[in-house]
Amino acid sequence: MRILLTNDDGVYAPGLRALRAELRKLGDVIVVAPATEQSAVGHSITLLTPLLVQEVLDEQNQPMGWAVEGRPADCVKLALMELLPEPPDVVVSGLNAGSNAGINVLYSGTVAAAIEGAFFQRTSIAVSLEYTKPKLDFPRAAGIARQVIEQILAKKPAAGSLFNVNIPSLDKGPIRGIRCVPQNVAPYVENFDRRVDPRGRVYFWTKPGLSCPDPHPDTDVVALAESYITVTPLQFNLTHRALLDPMREWEWEW
């Protein structure tokens, strides 16, 4: 099996290295990932500057793949269209430092990379580890992620299938199981720290601790908080089909 591995934390991120080690148990792994951290860039792509590419080595000084001076979606585009000699059987994005559940899915570069793989009709899986402490157990979480990925692939999903996997913090205690749940879309609470620079200009820092005080029941946010691994099938077609037919009956002028 040929596996394309990418992320949004950067090609040198420990989560990517840990997941690569586990995925190599399943097949050949080629890494194409951002040269620097690209967290929360969503599905942005690079248009006005060149995409510099450099080969990178692993811990044994063996070829691992490529670092791209671009976004996660850029990495997958370049991998599938230019860099890989053969198309991969699966695209895996992760292992992200921090969960990508609820509306975080919309901002996540990790999920965006997986979406890009699904555009190209590759089975694509985003994998994230819930963040609760500065030191995350990536090797152990990567082993869990590999088992989940194996089970998804064993079901032979249709070409272009897209999955979002979140692993609960391993510091919270034993994992209770795996749940297939929808994405939570309840609002999050965000806060900004207002400051003034030495020249009197106002600026803001986004505060940590993004929270969802009233999540919808039986969703990824709730299940993750209850120490379940969550698996959510996603789609990138944003058409509101329930509204489409009534709109065709509207009187339009031009």
Side-chain angles (χ1 to χ4, degrees), residues 106-149:
L106 302 176
Y107 305 118
S108 168
T110 302
V111 176
I115 292 173
E116 192 67 34
F119 284 169
F120 284 87
Q121 291 298 293
R122 302 292 104 190
T123 297
S124 300
I125 306 169
V127 192
S128 304
L129 172 61
E130 184 183 21
Y131 182 97
T132 55
K133 290 186 177 181
K135 184 173 176 57
L136 297 176
D137 191 346
F138 286 115
R140 182 178 165 206
I144 295 168
R146 189 253 307 156
Q147 294 178 54
V148 176
I149 291 168

Side-chain angles (χ1 to χ4, degrees), residues 9-30:
D9 288 332
V11 71
Y12 299 106
L16 181 140
R17 299 300 177 109
L19 187 54
R20 175 178 178 263
E22 287 292 331
L23 292 179
R24 293 180 74 186
K25 299 174 182 177
L26 305 182
D28 296 326
V29 181
I30 297 182

Side-chain angles (χ1 to χ4, degrees), residues 11 17 40 67 69 75 84-85 89 97 132 148 153 186 233:
V11 71
R17 299 300 177 109
E69 295 282 354
C75 294
L84 301 190
D89 299 300
T132 55
V148 176
L153 296 179

Side-chain angles (χ1 to χ4, degrees), residues 176-228:
R176 299 175 64 186
I178 300 175
R179 293 188 61 191
C180 298
V181 286
Q183 174 192 353
N184 176 72
V185 292
Y188 277 61
V189 173
E190 300 179 72
N191 294 289
F192 298 89
D193 187 5
R194 185 181 189 275
R195 302 184 185 183
V196 179
D197 75 7
R199 291 182 170 81
R201 298 172 298 188
V202 175
Y203 68 98
F204 296 87
W205 276 103
T206 301
K207 288 185 176 181
L210 183 69
S211 63
C212 185
D214 191 24
H216 296 147
D218 198 31
T219 60
D220 54 0
V221 169
V222 172
L224 191 64
E226 295 174 349
S227 293
Y228 286 95

Side-chain angles (χ1 to χ4, degrees), residues 7-14 16 33-42 44 67-72 75 95-98 100 107-110 131 138:
N7 71 350
D8 73 355
D9 288 332
V11 71
Y12 299 106
L16 181 140
T36 59
E37 183 174 346
Q38 301 291 321
S39 296
V41 300
S44 61
V68 177
E69 295 282 354
R71 307 299 197 187
C75 294
L95 177 63
N96 191 67
N100 278 305
Y107 305 118
S108 168
T110 302
Y131 182 97
F138 286 115

